[in-house]
Amino acid sequence: MTRIVYVNGAYKRYAEAAIHAEDRGFQFADAVYEVIEVLGGRLVDATRHMARLDRSLRELKIAAPMSQQALLQVIGEAVRRNRVSDGIVYMQVTRGAGPRDFSLPGADILPTLVVLARAPRRGWADELAKTGIAVKTMPDNRWGRCDIKTVMLLPAVLAKDAARRDGAREVWFVDSQGAITEGASSNAWIVTAEGVLVTRKLDSNILPGITRAGVADVAASERLKVEERPFSVKEALQAREAFLTSATNTVMPVVAIDGQQIGEGRPGPIAQRLRSRFHQVAEISAV
Ligand code: PDD
């Protein structure tokens, strides 16, 4: 439960927090965000998350609301005020508020910043990881700049809902060539029969996942080979293992794709090993 949320300079009780009715985040999804895992009251991979936030802001020419150092202080305060030990921090920066106009506003408009911290039900991801999850493939109908972490998430929301109705927890989007791009809110991975990890190379069709980068570090420390290249749905169905990565899941085994069992139909040893080692290799920093 979130009790206190930071909005534009003040920590407010939820019922009292508000943003402008003509905020561009609300009207145009003119906004970016980050989700950072909190572990034992500390941040996981904060340096990489802050760098990606900075890049998202620069790509869209949205002004940074404050320095990274100041933002980390706000994040720490949100974690403490909400007494979050294990959970997440969510931060969103919008271009700001002004009379609705498609043209970008001048530099006098100040960006909006919202930071919240919350703890989901304890151990939910570990429980899910014991059995693994099912995913459903769907045509990727998102825009051409999925490398920017914008709040323009409606295609992901609708696709995830369709997946849920089919008994799957996540979507794997498929591009026009039949290759898997990524999940609605995660990156997609497979393990080949030879034990090689495969994930799509970074391009404008996928988010450069921070957990994806962390898992590549873990793989290197385990001397596992990683290939960054497109892989088709057919190749995924024949894979020895499959899994997804995100700040909220770390490494989550995928045991079925479109109702077809992957490998033995249970979490594979490589996904389990990467999951168990992830936090040993990730940057964990106090706030
Ligand atoms: N989602 N791809 C998409 C489209 C995502 O939305 C996310 C993260 C990822 C994984 O990125 P990372 O490893 O940095 O979390 C990949 C977050 C968790 C969310 O929207 O809640």
Side-chain angles (χ1 to χ4, degrees):
M1 192 181 73
T2 304
R3 282 165 284 206
I4 303 291
V5 57
Y6 174 93
V7 183
N8 289 336
Y11 298 89
K12 300 267 193 180
R13 278 207 287 274
Y14 235 59
E16 287 152 15
I19 60 160
H20 198 284
E22 289 208 88
D23 192 281
R24 294 182 64 89
F26 178 53
Q27 289 185 327
F28 296 112
D30 191 354
V32 300
Y33 75 107
E34 277 297 324
V35 177
I36 305 181
E37 186 191 4
V38 181
L39 186 72
R42 300 191 295 167
L43 299 181
V44 179
D45 283 328
T47 306
R48 282 175 171 163
H49 280 284
M50 297 310 260
R52 186 174 64 186
L53 176 66
D54 199 46
R55 176 182 183 270
S56 296
L57 291 169
R58 274 189 284 110
E59 288 293 321
L60 298 178
K61 298 189 172 60
I62 297 176
M66 56 178 65
S67 69
Q68 273 192 16
Q69 212 186 355
L71 181 52
L72 280 168
Q73 271 173 20
V74 172
I75 290 169
E77 213 38 52
V79 167
R80 282 186 288 278
R81 288 187 189 223
N82 290 289
R83 298 197 192 96
V84 175
S85 175
D86 296 333
I88 56 119
V89 168
Y90 171 90
M91 73 209 74
Q92 178 173 338
V93 182
T94 87
R95 201 180 300 273
R100 185 174 182 276
D101 187 347
F102 282 79
S103 318
L104 293 180
D108 51 325
I109 299 287
L110 293 177
T112 297
L113 172 63
V114 173
V115 179
L116 60 88
R118 70 164 47 125
R121 192 170 58 77
R122 212 183 183 80
W124 69 270
D126 286 335
E127 263 169 49
L128 261 185
K130 278 184 199 149
T131 49
I133 62 160
V135 302
K136 180 179 163 68
T137 63
M138 271 177 243
D140 197 338
N141 60 356
R142 303 171 303 163
W143 74 325
R145 289 304 306 273
C146 292
D147 56 313
I148 308 173
K149 198 162 173 63
T150 77
V151 301
M152 210 164 53
L153 293 170
L154 194 53
V157 166
L158 297 179
K160 245 187 208 290
D161 181 61
R164 289 276 173 135
R165 279 186 274 113
D166 258 10
R169 266 194 88 88
E170 177 60 305
V171 181
W172 275 9
F173 283 124
V174 180
D175 69 15
S176 56
Q177 321 296 312
I180 288 163
T181 52
E182 63 176 338
S185 59
S186 57
N187 289 111
W189 297 71
I190 56 169
V191 181
T192 67
E194 295 74 38
V196 176
L197 306 187
V198 184
T199 192
R200 192 185 176 97
K201 72 170 174 19
L202 295 183
D203 58 23
S204 59
N205 294 311
I206 68 167
L207 187 77
I210 303 305
T211 321
R212 175 187 179 281
V215 163
D217 294 343
V218 180
S221 76
E222 297 276 305
R223 297 187 198 288
L224 291 166
K225 194 171 164 212
V226 177
E227 272 175 22
E228 294 187 69
R229 60 165 175 83
F231 59 94
S232 65
V233 177
K234 189 166 166 239
E235 187 177 1
L237 288 171
Q238 289 160 357
R240 194 157 95 185
E241 293 184 34
F243 61 92
L244 58 79
T245 55
S246 78
T248 43
N249 287 281
T250 64
V251 178
M252 183 59 67
V254 168
V255 295
I257 301 173
D258 294 339
Q260 266 182 255
Q261 170 180 314
I262 303 304
E264 307 280 295
R266 50 178 187 267
I270 292 184
Q272 286 178 305
R273 176 85 185 142
L274 294 169
R275 179 178 180 83
S276 70
R277 288 224 52 226
F278 182 77
H279 288 132
Q280 293 165 9
V281 175
E283 176 201 46
I284 314 270
S285 55
V287 274

